[in-house]
Amino acid sequence: NPFTTYTVYPQAVTNSAPEIVLYDEPFDNEKIPTTTPSFEIYASDAEENEVDYQIEIDNDADFSSTVISTDSTTNLDDFLNVETPADKSAFNHNERLRYSIPSALSNGVTYWWRVRAKDVAGSNQWSSWTDAKSFTVDTTVTTSRWFQTTEEQFDTNTLIDTDATASDLVNMLSTSPGT
């Protein structure tokens, strides 16, 4: 019987959510000289489907009081495909997008941001949120620079022989380096 030796069976191919979004700007813990920063992001989709984006910005690391929560479908004009400007939502996967904040943030405040992508032409599922990154608005600086001042910012790094405290202080531990 020819069917008794059949070992290759058809498999259902499912479409998955995009891979976690990658971001280029601003870099983590950046002090920026503008109250209207822009954010450059892109996502990869295994099936090469188009994607939409959602971005959240908050002055709390836990995103409990979101200052901005927007997406590229609802606020299309705030998102620009840097590589193919004529491409509008949904966007080509793997192409750099720039999100521009439509209204000014407060000077002197540290903000946290995260982003995710949705495969609208396939699974229609959101990716996971990216790890939160921070930036601080400081209009007195003329160029961007690295800047960490809060416990939450220091907790995102691997710091050897240090301890960040709830009072936003970083203490050196009394052990020998590397022990």
Side-chain angles (χ1 to χ4, degrees):
N1 183 353
F3 296 107
T4 58
T5 59
Y6 188 73
T7 58
V8 179
Y9 300 96
Q11 295 180 352
V13 177
T14 58
N15 195 302
S16 57
E19 293 182 26
I20 291 180
V21 178
L22 303 172
Y23 30 69
D24 291 330
E25 293 180 15
F27 63 83
D28 195 20
N29 303 315
E30 183 174 357
K31 183 182 270 192
I32 57 175
T34 179
T35 58
T36 54
S38 60
F39 301 81
E40 293 202 3
I41 55 178
Y42 62 96
S44 177
D45 183 70
E47 295 81 25
E48 300 184 4
N49 292 322
E50 294 180 322
V51 294
D52 275 322
Y53 295 86
Q54 181 180 10
I55 188 167
E56 289 187 339
I57 301 170
D58 198 339
N59 56 2
D60 293 311
D62 63 3
F63 292 87
S64 60
S65 60
T66 307
V67 175
I68 294 174
S69 180
T70 188
D71 64 75
S72 60
T73 302
T74 307
N75 295 298
L76 178 61
D77 291 339
D78 298 339
F79 292 81
L80 169 71
N81 184 328
V82 176
E83 297 175 34
T84 312
D87 179 35
K88 299 295 181 184
S89 176
F91 297 93
N92 298 329
H93 90 110
N94 267 349
E95 289 191 353
R96 187 176 315 279
L97 227 65
R98 179 177 299 130
Y99 167 68
S100 298
I101 293 177
S103 58
L105 297 173
S106 297
N107 188 40
V109 175
T110 296
Y111 292 95
W112 295 84
W113 70 290
R114 64 185 181 177
V115 64
R116 63 184 180 171
K118 180 168 53 171
D119 175 353
V120 295
S123 69
N124 205 35
Q125 294 179 350
W126 287 105
S127 67
S128 300
W129 285 107
T130 58
D131 290 337
K133 302 291 183 187
S134 71
F135 64 95
T136 301
V137 175
D138 184 348
T139 57
T140 65
V141 299
T142 55
T143 58
S144 294
R145 58 185 69 173
W146 175 81
F147 183 74
Q148 282 179 286
T149 59
T150 68
E151 176 188 14
E152 293 86 1
Q153 287 175 305
F154 282 101
D155 285 345
T156 64
N157 295 54
T158 302
L159 303 171
I160 299 172
D161 299 328
T162 61
D163 180 39
T165 67
S167 59
D168 296 336
L169 296 173
V170 177
N171 297 312
M172 300 299 291
L173 300 177
S174 61
T175 61
S176 301
T179 58

